[in-house]
Amino acid sequence: MMEYMQKFNEKAIERFCRWGKIIQRFPFRKEQPVYCRYSSLLGKYLAFQVLKPLDEEPYPERIGIQFLDWSGDDFISKDVFTDIHPWGVMHFLEAPVPRGFQHMFNARPLKVKPHYFNGSLPWYNWDRMFAFQKRFSHLSPERKKNTQYKNANGSLDLRGGTIDVEIQNSSLENIFTDESIASLSIIQSSLSGTIQDPQQGAKLRLSISGKEYLFHGLERLTWLSLTTDTDIDLNSLAATYPSLQTLNLFGQPGKIHNLDALRNLSNLEVFFCFNMFGFDGKDMPLPEELPKVFYLEFDTLPTFAASQLRTKWNHVDGVVFKFSHTHKPEWFLRNKDNPFRSWNDSEELPRSIASRAEKIYRNAKKEVLLLNSHQDPAVRRLEFIRIIQDFVGAFNTIDAKKLWFATIEREKIYDAGYELLRTARDHAGIVMPDEEFSSVFDEKRNW
């Protein structure tokens, strides 16, 4: 009788849901796959269930996954599944599930409300929110804040502090960290000693911006984001951080040497490369040489390299492969010192705006480089203020007829202005704190 009633209920719900699409809150849907994978950020295995297949709303072009409120020292078993509850909200990701995520078994769908979703999520961040909540949700609000160190010297002891730390323009000997730190950003700084971490960086997300990027002591580091305008030797990088699973490279633009050294990163899973040149794609390792890679993306790269990469990596089963915005090598050289080069590929801004922005910046930089013609430091300082106000005024003119500049564009203009400040400091000895520069910059700004 119970079996008959269950079949009856299933048919009733099938009729209730138009075109036979059963929404997630009903438990009678056919069994759905459960996947499991090790998270280095948490040091545990995590699991999720695919609840929404392709072609269903919302996001019909994506699958919907629901994390399980579970973590373990080994793969999940079906025996414990019935006692597990869903965790967080549903996320929508590109199909299919990439390689490296183990299909454990199929099971009755988790009971979740269909409107509990969080938009699209990239596979390369699949475990970040879960690991963060499990590691740090118990901390006080004060511990969850960001701590900044500017112009520091000697050694820094970050143990027991806030979970996010940013170090700027510092010359350090050693940095001491522990498991209480989720992310460490090192910006335009040097380190003569080592980063001393009890787990050698196994659970640390490290972001580096600047010319120096080889910081020793993190042999078990799994996540690195590097932003630089200098050459990157992947041989040296792989030797310094041999355990990397995620490597993000952001050039300004930058130049890669020894791309084939990626094969030395035997645990590599995610590789993102933006605004880099100096490689032709022929030296990119083959899929079988990087068997754990499931996400590979190149944005703003040499045209010839793109064709080679497409030949090697397009349509590899279980790998998300993307590339966009290809350019000839001379484009990278011509735009190396153009802070608005990314506007050339913008879908929101016409090419004419990008050209005008570049011209405004280059004219302002020429004036900054001529500041030394004034003998009086006070005059040089007043002239620099005028240059920045003219720089901002030129963008006011562009934005006056049509509101072109949203938050991202405004930040880019400010960054370009700050680059003028750095040039003025280096070449003309201009003394102006960052806070004062921001006030000068904003004084005439209308966007």
Side-chain angles (χ1 to χ4, degrees):
M1 183 67 178
M2 291 296 295
E3 183 178 358
Y4 170 78
M5 288 301 297
Q6 179 174 327
K7 289 183 179 180
F8 176 82
N9 288 336
E10 287 179 354
K11 289 182 179 180
I13 293 176
E14 188 84 15
R15 289 193 297 270
F16 174 78
C17 299
R18 189 168 55 176
W19 310 115
K21 294 183 177 179
I22 311 297
I23 56 180
Q24 287 88 345
R25 62 169 171 257
F26 295 106
F28 305 112
R29 191 174 190 167
K30 66 178 182 179
E31 293 186 338
Q32 298 295 326
V34 174
Y35 289 84
C36 192
R37 188 185 183 100
Y38 183 79
S39 166
S40 60
L41 293 178
L42 192 60
K44 297 283 186 179
Y45 284 87
L46 309 183
F48 61 81
Q49 186 176 33
V50 177
L51 292 184
K52 187 195 82 67
L54 292 174
D55 301 324
E56 287 192 7
E57 294 292 344
Y59 304 102
E61 73 284 0
R62 290 174 176 260
I63 57 174
I65 71 167
Q66 179 69 52
F67 277 98
L68 311 183
D69 195 3
W70 171 91
S71 61
D73 296 324
D74 204 345
F75 289 107
I76 191 172
S77 66
K78 196 168 186 177
D79 295 336
V80 303
F81 179 82
T82 54
D83 298 324
I84 296 174
H85 298 284
W87 180 89
V89 296
M90 188 182 297
H91 299 286
F92 297 89
L93 300 96
E94 295 173 276
V97 177
R99 63 183 183 181
F101 293 83
Q102 298 295 321
H103 176 208
M104 305 307 300
F105 49 82
N106 289 355
R108 283 283 180 87
L110 294 166
K111 297 180 182 180
V112 297
K113 295 181 180 180
H115 61 278
Y116 281 5
F117 62 89
N118 195 41
S120 58
L121 178 74
W123 279 112
Y124 56 79
N125 268 341
W126 73 279
D127 61 341
R128 184 178 182 183
M129 284 183 283
F130 187 99
F132 183 90
Q133 288 293 325
K134 292 299 181 180
R135 285 178 62 189
F136 304 114
S137 61
H138 65 285
L139 296 179
S140 66
E142 288 298 317
R143 292 283 305 280
K144 293 180 181 179
K145 292 181 178 180
N146 175 278
T147 300
Q148 293 186 340
Y149 296 89
K150 295 183 179 180
N151 304 308
N153 294 288
S155 295
L156 281 180
D157 191 345
L158 309 177
R159 291 172 291 192
T162 59
I163 60 177
D164 292 317
V165 178
E166 184 177 289
I167 300 170
Q168 294 185 31
N169 304 316
S170 299
S171 299
L172 302 174
E173 296 175 5
N174 298 294
I175 300 174
F176 298 91
T177 64
D178 60 16
E179 272 196 50
S180 67
I181 297 176
S183 63
L184 173 63
S185 298
I186 302 177
I187 303 170
Q188 306 297 335
S189 299
S190 61
L191 184 69
S192 60
T194 62
I195 298 177
Q196 299 187 27
D197 182 273
Q199 293 193 335
Q200 297 178 297
K203 295 184 179 181
L204 183 69
R205 291 169 67 95
L206 177 64
S207 299
I208 302 172
S209 179
K211 297 185 182 299
E212 296 192 32
Y213 57 88
L214 301 178
F215 300 137
H216 297 281
L218 300 177
E219 287 77 12
R220 295 176 60 201
L221 183 73
T222 61
W223 196 98
L224 173 64
S225 178
L226 172 59
T227 303
T228 185
D229 61 358
T230 190
D231 293 4
I232 297 177
D233 178 11
L234 286 182
N235 266 329
S236 300
L237 188 143
T240 305
Y241 311 108
S243 302
L244 285 178
Q245 294 178 0
T246 296
L247 175 58
N248 302 320
L249 300 180
F250 297 89
Q252 297 180 318
K255 188 175 183 180
I256 289 181
H257 296 281
N258 304 311
L259 185 64
D260 59 338
L262 286 177
R263 62 171 57 93
N264 298 332
L265 298 173
S266 58
N267 295 316
L268 190 66
E269 298 174 348
V270 175
F271 181 56
F272 181 79
C273 185
F274 175 75
N275 207 13
M276 304 294 295
F277 69 106
F279 63 99
D280 60 12
K282 292 181 179 179
D283 50 354
M284 178 68 188
L286 295 168
E288 55 267 28
E289 296 177 288
L290 297 173
K292 295 184 179 180
V293 167
F294 67 84
Y295 191 94
L296 186 63
E297 182 170 0
F298 291 81
D299 189 341
T300 313
L301 71 160
T303 303
F304 183 77
S307 64
Q308 294 294 314
L309 292 167
R310 182 171 53 229
T311 300
K312 290 182 177 182
W313 282 88
N314 206 20
H315 304 304
V316 176
D317 288 341
V319 176
V320 178
F321 171 67
K322 300 179 180 180
F323 74 91
S324 56
H325 305 136
T326 63
H327 297 279
K328 295 181 179 180
E330 51 268 27
W331 181 90
F332 289 92
L333 296 175
R334 186 174 66 250
N335 285 277
K336 187 171 179 61
D337 62 344
N338 173 19
F340 298 103
R341 57 187 166 270
S342 63
W343 288 11
N344 287 300
D345 297 319
S346 173
E347 296 179 358
E348 287 76 27
L349 298 174
R351 188 68 60 87
S352 60
I353 298 286
S355 298
R356 289 177 66 183
E358 179 184 358
K359 186 176 180 179
I360 292 168
Y361 174 77
R362 294 196 185 282
N363 288 339
K365 187 173 181 179
K366 286 180 182 178
E367 290 194 83
V368 169
L369 293 174
L370 293 173
L371 286 174
N372 274 330
S373 62
H374 302 284
Q375 299 298 319
D376 188 345
V379 174
R380 287 202 299 269
R381 194 174 188 281
L382 289 174
E383 274 296 293
F384 176 69
I385 292 175
R386 180 196 59 78
I387 292 170
I388 293 301
Q389 290 177 340
D390 289 348
F391 176 80
V392 172
F395 285 99
N396 287 342
T397 301
I398 294 176
D399 203 50
K401 295 182 179 179
K402 183 177 180 179
L403 300 179
W404 290 109
F405 305 138
T407 301
I408 294 176
E409 288 76 25
R410 294 168 192 154
E411 291 176 349
K412 180 65 70 176
I413 298 169
Y414 180 86
D415 290 343
Y418 191 81
E419 186 61 34
L420 294 174
L421 173 62
R422 276 201 288 257
T423 303
R425 286 169 172 170
D426 294 340
H427 291 270
I430 297 296
V431 178
M432 180 178 288
D434 290 358
E435 294 77 11
E436 183 183 357
F437 171 78
S438 296
S439 297
V440 170
F441 187 91
D442 289 338
E443 183 179 355
K444 302 290 186 180
R445 181 171 65 87
N446 295 333
W447 28 271

